[in-house]
Each structure stands twice: as structure tokens, then as C-alpha cells.
Amino acid sequence: MIIKGLNCLGLMGASTFGGVELSLIHTDGLDITERIKETNIPYPDELKEKIRSILGLKRDIDDNEEKLKEVDLLVSNFYIKIINDFVLESGVDVDVVGIDGITILHNPNLKYTYQLGNGRYIANKTGIKVVTHFRNADIFNGGQGTPVSSTYFNAVSSDEIKPIVYVNISGKSSLTWIGSFGEFVGFDCGPGDNFINNWTSKHANMDNDYNGRLAAMGSVHEKIVNSLMHHKFFAKFPPKSAYTGIFAEKAEHLEGLSLEDGAATATAFVAEAICYSICLYLPELPLKVVICGKGANNPTLVRFIRQRLPNIEVVISKEDGITTTAVNAEIAAFLSARSLYSLPITFPSTTGVINPMSGGDIYEKDN
């Protein structure tokens, strides 16, 4: 029997620097028929520092172009190595690689988005078809550019009782609400792991608050959380996208707190932003909230969300059969199939784009 679909390898660069996610699935862009293999590869320390040195830079300004090209080449070579190693270890013929590289700058107000990963170069070096830059078509046509994950969550929710919400917590947080009749709404709802990680990096030289242990030992300063929630982003109705660095200036509100209290308060801010969005901006409150992404591995963050949504079931994604270690790579794999089949990945109800929009730049090895 021939199974429809493609073997799609997704790669997520992860702006949280928690490592590169890889996920190999079989999909036709409508359903996921098999999850084959997944892994997470850490960035070399030297490469992390190179990437950090260009975060927030915009192309065509001063000498930014050369700096970005240099780091893009280094990152692309790293991606090539781990793709080749992964494919060899899996023993599976891969039809396409979907790459959602680290976001250097995303700002829909400027109609600008830039992620690392040279698709043409990677396709030539691996010999595999590559799809990159899933946000570009949407943002160039008036959309917010993110989230691009709503069609994936719609696919994995087929057996769920609706309405349901999927919250994807990575560098920032986004959500997808799926209604009883299959309608869906998606938008960025606020800060994510990066807001917490920036605190631990600055004050403890730690890439992240592993398992939320620092936050668990600290006390939440609710007055500071309330002050952080006065950011203009939260008063804006969806669709909306949290542009790069949008909450950075708010981090100064944490200064003066102990390491643990700062981690707890930052984590509470992430939880409050998510719950505020669920309670205020959805057509109908969900019966269940599924926490996905790296944030699902932070028990303190999940506990804070549960405390703020006492009448709604809150679960982490692995309880629903969705990976907690490579969900964004799985999304990239799923989107690569939708791109090849010219299926839409963004919609008026998810990014504000005028019409449903396919996306992704497709590259094949040059002859």
C-alpha cells in the first residue's frame, strides 16, 4: 500500500539558544501519518556568541550586510552538518527539509523579517530540497508574519473536543484557538522563554532557568507583574505579532530583585500574558489549554498558568501526544509539505493577511 505524503525533516534554529531541534515526520500537509525520529543538537559556544552579536541587526544598514552574511554562512554550514548526520542516522530517504532558522529581526511594522539559513546553499550541499523563510510571503502581503503554526495545531487537534487552545512557548509565546466548527484564531500573546532567559543570563550566567528551579525558589512580585502588563502590546487586538525585542525595555522593572525573585517574577509575567490573552481575546473560552514548546518543560511556568486558569484544564503537550522537545521542528516539517503542495499556512484570522497565503522559499540542488 502506498502511503500518501512526504518524508519531511524539520529544523528549528531556536532563538532561545536551547539547541537546534530536528524532527522527521511523514505528512501530506494535512495529516501527520508517522513521527519517525527527533533530536536536539546544542549550538557550539563560539557559534552562539557569533549569533548573539548580530541579533536585532537590519540588512542594508552600514556594514550590517557583511556581518549577517558571515554569520549566516557559519550557521548554514552547521545546519548542513547536522542535517547530513541526522539523515544518515535515520536511514530514511528525506524528500524535503523545512528550516525555520533563528530570527535575527522580525518587525511587521517595517514589513521586515529575517531568519538565518541560506536555503539555496543548504540544498546544494545536502542534495535535498529545502524550504525556508515561511514568514516572508505573509509579511510582504500585509500580514504580521507570525504565527505560522496554526495549521499544524489544527491538524493535531482532530480528535480533541473543542474549543481548545494550543500555547506555543519558545522565544516568545503564541496561541492557536480552534473552535467547535473548525474555525481557528492565532496570534502572538506575549513574551516567552527569552524574557526569562535574559534575566538568568545577565544575573547568573545561565542560558536558562533549567526546569524553572530558580523561579520555584523565588517569590513573585505581583506589583511588578502588573506594571509589566501595562505594555501597549497587550491592549492591541489580534491579529498581532510580537516584534523582536518588544519587551526588552520592560526587563529593567526586575532590577533590584534577588536572582530567584527576578526569575519568579519574569516567569509570572510570561504566564500572566498568556492567560490574559486567553481570557480577553478569544471568541470563546477553551475547554482545554495545551502548553507546547520549550515552555512545556518548565514546571514552574506551567504551574503559574494553571493557577491563573483554575476553571480550565491545562496540560503539557506530551500528555496529548505532541513532542515537548522538538515541536517547532515538527511544525517546520509540516509546513514544508504544505509549501510544496501550495497549501496556505497563514490566514486572515491568524496573521491578518488579506487572503489565505501559502509561504516558504523552495530550493532544489542546482544541476
Side-chain angles (χ1 to χ4, degrees):
M1 181 179 70
I2 298 176
I3 301 176
K4 63 179 181 178
L6 303 165
N7 290 330
C8 302
L9 172 60
L11 184 153
M12 172 63 178
S15 60
T16 60
F17 294 103
V20 179
E21 299 176 14
L22 293 162
S23 178
L24 179 59
I25 62 174
H26 191 89
T27 180
D28 61 354
L30 298 173
D31 300 297
I32 297 172
T33 52
E34 185 180 3
R35 292 179 169 95
I36 301 169
K37 180 180 173 66
E38 67 175 50
T39 192
N40 196 293
I41 307 294
Y43 283 103
D45 288 341
E46 184 178 349
L47 185 56
K48 281 196 288 189
E49 293 310 309
K50 288 280 190 180
I51 297 168
R52 285 193 175 105
S53 72
I54 62 167
L55 290 176
L57 295 187
K58 190 174 185 294
R59 301 174 69 179
D60 303 323
I61 296 178
D62 298 325
D63 58 348
N64 287 358
E65 188 75 26
E66 289 305 313
K67 292 178 182 177
L68 290 166
K69 282 183 178 179
E70 176 191 357
V71 179
D72 195 29
L73 179 61
L74 292 172
V75 169
S76 296
N77 281 324
F78 182 61
Y79 288 170
I80 290 164
K81 181 183 185 307
I82 62 178
I83 289 168
N84 286 336
D85 290 346
F86 185 91
V87 172
L88 184 63
E89 291 172 7
S90 71
V92 175
D93 291 330
V94 173
D95 297 300
V96 61
V97 179
I99 297 176
D100 191 0
I102 284 184
T103 297
I104 299 304
L105 180 61
H106 177 86
N107 192 330
N109 299 326
L110 303 175
K111 289 193 174 182
Y112 183 89
T113 188
Y114 180 65
Q115 290 76 43
L116 296 178
N118 185 320
R120 177 172 285 108
Y121 179 70
I122 295 170
N124 280 322
K125 292 295 184 179
T126 62
I128 307 171
K129 189 178 297 183
V130 170
V131 184
T132 62
H133 301 105
F134 295 104
R135 309 175 185 189
N136 287 8
D138 181 90
I139 205 167
F140 295 154
N141 284 277
Q144 293 288 299
T146 61
V148 294
S149 53
S150 295
T151 54
Y152 166 84
F153 289 119
N154 187 49
V156 299
S157 73
S158 58
D159 295 328
E160 295 282 354
I161 298 175
K162 317 286 192 314
I164 188 171
V165 163
Y166 293 87
V167 179
N168 190 10
I169 308 172
S170 51
K172 58 184 177 179
S173 300
S174 65
L175 65 77
T176 297
W177 175 91
I178 303 166
S180 303
F181 301 100
E183 69 276 36
F184 53 85
V185 170
F187 57 93
D188 286 352
C189 49
D193 285 341
N194 277 349
F195 192 81
I196 305 168
N197 296 348
N198 289 344
W199 171 262
T200 59
S201 175
K202 180 178 180 181
H203 294 277
N205 198 28
M206 298 165 55
D207 281 344
N208 59 73
D209 182 9
Y210 183 71
N211 279 342
R213 289 183 293 189
L214 290 174
M217 294 186 290
S219 297
V220 175
H221 290 242
E222 292 292 351
K223 287 185 178 180
I224 294 178
V225 173
N226 292 337
S227 177
L228 293 170
M229 287 299 298
H230 284 127
H231 195 289
K232 61 184 179 181
F233 176 83
F234 301 113
K236 183 180 178 182
F237 279 78
K240 55 184 178 178
S241 175
Y243 59 79
T244 303
I246 186 172
F247 302 109
E249 75 277 7
K250 286 291 184 179
E252 67 183 21
H253 290 247
L254 304 176
E255 296 300 332
L257 299 181
S258 69
L259 174 62
E260 294 79 7
D261 285 6
T265 304
T267 303
F269 175 41
V270 175
E272 181 66 20
I274 291 166
C275 298
Y276 178 89
S277 299
I278 289 172
C279 293
L280 194 64
Y281 290 128
L282 297 180
E284 183 182 0
L285 284 176
L287 300 173
K288 182 164 77 170
V289 172
V290 183
I291 308 298
C292 308
K294 289 292 191 291
N297 297 316
N298 184 331
T300 306
L301 176 56
V302 175
R303 173 165 58 86
F304 286 172
I305 293 171
R306 285 182 173 137
Q307 289 171 347
R308 286 164 168 76
L309 299 173
N311 299 316
I312 299 175
E313 181 186 9
V314 177
V315 303
I316 59 175
S317 60
K318 68 179 179 183
E319 297 173 32
D320 260 33
I322 302 172
T323 174
T324 57
T325 57
V327 67
N328 287 297
E330 191 165 295
I331 291 168
F334 184 77
L335 293 179
S336 69
R338 290 187 70 86
S339 294
L340 293 186
Y341 292 131
S342 299
L343 296 169
I345 63 175
T346 56
F347 301 81
S349 63
T350 62
T351 65
V353 71
I354 295 175
N355 298 304
M357 178 75 58
S358 186
D361 299 332
I362 301 171
Y363 300 96
E364 297 191 58
K365 183 178 181 180
D366 296 335
N367 294 325

